[in-house]
Amino acid sequence: MGKEQASVADASELSLSTATSEKFWPHGWWKIFEIKVGIIPMPLFIMAAALIAALCMTGELPSQITTMVVVLGFFGFVCGEIGKRLPILGKIGAAAICATFIPSAMVYYHLLPTSIIDSTKVFYKATGILYLYISCIIVGSIFSMDRKTIMQGFLRIFIPMLCGEIVGAIVGTTVGTLLGLGSFNTLFFIVLPIMAGGVGEGAIPLSIGFSEIMHIEQGVAFARIIPMVMLGSLTAILTAGILNHLGKRKPHLTGEGRLMPGMEEEISSSTSHNPLKGAIDVTGLASAAMMALLLYMVGILGQRLVGLPAPVGMLFAAVLVKLTQAVSPQMTSNANVVYKFFQTSVTYPILFMVGVAITPWQSLMAAFTIPNLIVIIATVLSLVTTGFFVGKKMGMHPIDVAVVSCCQSGQGGTGDVAILTAANRMVLMPFAQIATRIGGAINVTLALVVLSHFFTF
């Protein structure tokens, strides 16, 4: 009995000594690192806030990448966390919306230091970092897909896309006409801008074409078009979030990023044999990133030779590499790791940068009229609903097809990022690029051709 009491006493002393040895420093301090804002541990988050404030107060904020990575990460994850914690809206894509529109409002209401605004705009224009992001996302997501899925999915996705655009144009124009906006104004200045593929690929070419054909100032045309693009993208983001929530409630309607049922990712087999190798092969990750950039350069060359947008050219090149099995399974696995890194760590900083640099809050607010909102919502919802039911009829996962349909109303590449983030289906980026780039280019071309004939006669 005495020995048992002695052993209990020894155990108590041991646990007490262990507890006292793990005092605040360093073990308690290390536990604070487990508290994170986005991906940033709390001590580093506080340090980033202090350094950003100090640099702003002592002069201009450098626009070099070493500084801007911290600035964009700090504000991007703050805005994302705000969106995630909003009741109800946090579950349907508010994080992506907040990461884009909160900084836009902060710029308009002068709540963001001028040095941060100027440095962000310079960084956005000078680096083209958005295309680095899209390159790694597209290549990684394509390489993570089953080859059979690519072959069947890329051909099948055009049918729900085409049906959705036809129905969306008819419904949107009809609703606008009934609301007294006029069929011409509704079709060319509300509905078509929504499905034009964003700002650079859609709104700007449309405004140039409108100015030449209708003999109006390009700035005037652009000011009328851009709010519709942004509000259409906002509606698509919210819709994508709702679709993600629906998929969780009715899992039989979704493939969680796979368009075709019964198909798994090939890379799972390549990484299951040696799961650690792909994670620790730093040179392999660098090679995968280099491959993504080289494929984007192929896209640039294609743009110069045949006029195809560079991201679309890169998309087709990546698909060709995947279908011909031109790279090893290990390279495929590394590309997927690079994709996951950009998806989890770069998305919200990119959205914050877009909100500051190219999202004018005043134009967004000016378009918030009841008739415009009704037309925009009717157009987006009819487009997405059509994609949902056509995709289901074709034996595809309807929710995932509907998410791709949302991207037809997205604000270009940035809209695709926000929409797929809200839907938690970044792996659909290749199909999103088809919906945005190719679908948008077709819409812009047809709109200008029809408009030119209309004004000729």
Side-chain angles (χ1 to χ4, degrees):
M1 188 71 178
K3 291 181 178 180
E4 291 179 359
Q5 291 178 346
S7 62
V8 171
D10 292 340
S12 301
E13 290 178 3
L14 180 61
S15 61
L16 182 61
S17 63
T18 302
T20 54
S21 64
E22 292 187 1
K23 295 181 180 179
F24 175 75
W25 193 269
H27 299 283
W29 172 250
W30 291 343
K31 289 183 179 180
I32 298 179
F33 277 79
E34 298 175 5
I35 305 173
K36 296 181 179 180
V37 178
I39 65 166
I40 309 174
M42 185 57 67
L44 300 185
F45 179 82
I46 296 172
M47 183 179 178
L51 288 173
I52 293 171
L55 288 173
C56 290
M57 289 187 292
T58 56
E60 294 183 357
L61 186 71
S63 59
Q64 60 197 31
I65 190 170
T66 50
T67 305
M68 294 310 299
V69 166
V70 175
V71 173
L72 299 180
F74 176 84
F75 286 103
F77 285 113
V78 167
C79 294
E81 288 295 323
I82 291 174
K84 288 179 181 179
R85 284 165 171 72
L86 291 177
I88 302 176
L89 294 178
K91 297 181 179 180
I92 58 172
I97 296 172
C98 289
T100 306
F101 291 102
I102 286 179
S104 175
M106 292 176 70
V107 171
Y108 180 75
Y109 292 109
H110 307 289
L111 300 177
L112 206 59
T114 304
S115 57
I116 292 179
I117 298 173
D118 294 341
S119 297
T120 302
K121 290 181 177 179
V122 169
F123 184 74
Y124 174 79
K125 293 178 181 179
T127 61
I129 192 172
L130 178 63
Y131 292 103
L132 168 65
Y133 174 86
I134 290 177
S135 299
C136 293
I137 287 289
I138 287 179
V139 173
S141 56
I142 285 177
F143 284 5
S144 69
M145 295 168 61
D146 182 83
R147 291 172 64 245
K148 189 175 181 181
T149 300
I150 294 177
M151 290 186 287
Q152 294 184 355
F154 271 75
L155 294 175
R156 290 195 179 191
I157 195 63
F158 280 102
I159 298 176
M161 278 175 49
L162 179 61
C163 294
E165 290 188 352
I166 294 173
V167 174
I170 294 174
V171 172
T173 304
T174 302
V175 171
T177 304
L178 293 176
L179 291 174
L181 297 177
S183 57
F184 179 86
N185 175 73
T186 302
L187 177 61
F188 286 97
F189 286 95
I190 301 179
V191 175
L192 285 175
I194 293 174
M195 300 185 293
V199 179
E201 300 83 353
I204 292 177
L206 272 180
S207 65
I208 294 173
F210 287 174
S211 67
E212 294 177 354
I213 296 171
M214 294 188 287
H215 306 291
I216 60 177
E217 292 289 336
Q218 182 191 349
V220 174
F222 186 75
R224 293 180 62 183
I225 291 172
I226 189 63
M228 308 307 165
V229 174
M230 291 187 295
L231 286 175
S233 186
L234 175 62
T235 305
I237 295 169
L238 285 170
T239 304
I242 294 172
L243 287 169
N244 181 44
H245 188 63
L246 176 64
K248 293 178 180 178
R249 295 175 63 94
K250 298 182 180 296
H252 64 282
L253 295 176
T254 179
E256 293 294 339
R258 295 189 301 273
L259 291 179
M260 308 297 297
M263 297 181 182
E264 301 296 331
E265 299 177 353
E266 282 185 343
I267 61 159
S268 59
S269 59
S270 65
T271 57
S272 60
H273 300 294
N274 192 359
L276 293 178
K277 185 177 180 181
I280 63 175
D281 184 8
V282 178
T283 58
L285 298 181
S287 299
M290 176 65 73
M291 179 180 60
L293 299 181
L294 288 173
L295 290 175
Y296 182 72
M297 292 177 68
V298 171
I300 294 176
L301 181 61
Q303 185 176 25
R304 293 181 179 179
L305 295 177
V306 299
L308 194 67
V312 176
M314 176 191 63
L315 170 65
F316 289 145
V319 170
L320 181 62
V321 170
K322 174 66 176 182
L323 293 181
T324 57
Q325 296 180 304
V327 296
S328 66
Q330 186 62 47
M331 177 69 81
T332 299
S333 175
N334 289 332
N336 188 55
V337 175
V338 172
Y339 152 74
K340 289 182 177 179
F341 166 77
F342 275 84
Q343 178 190 15
T344 57
S345 304
V346 186
T347 297
Y348 292 118
I350 286 287
L351 292 177
F352 173 82
M353 179 182 66
V354 167
V356 171
I358 61 170
T359 308
W361 181 257
Q362 62 273 29
S363 298
L364 187 66
M365 293 298 101
F368 264 101
T369 64
I370 299 300
N372 282 350
L373 289 175
I374 293 175
V375 173
I376 291 169
I377 293 172
T379 302
V380 174
L381 291 184
S382 59
L383 190 157
V384 174
T385 303
T386 302
F388 181 96
F389 286 105
V390 173
K392 185 177 181 180
K393 189 71 173 178
M394 295 177 62
M396 306 169 78
H397 291 298
I399 287 179
D400 301 277
V401 175
V403 170
V404 175
S405 297
C406 286
C407 295
Q408 294 179 260
S409 308
Q411 190 176 332
T414 58
D416 290 343
V417 173
I419 290 167
L420 297 183
T421 300
N424 194 28
R425 285 167 174 78
M426 195 63 75
V427 73
L428 290 174
M429 180 61 82
F431 301 104
Q433 288 289 297
I434 290 178
T436 303
R437 308 287 183 176
I438 297 180
I442 293 173
N443 286 331
V444 170
T445 302
L446 290 177
L448 295 180
V449 169
V450 171
L451 191 64
S452 62
H453 285 325
F454 180 84
F455 271 81
T456 298
F457 295 106

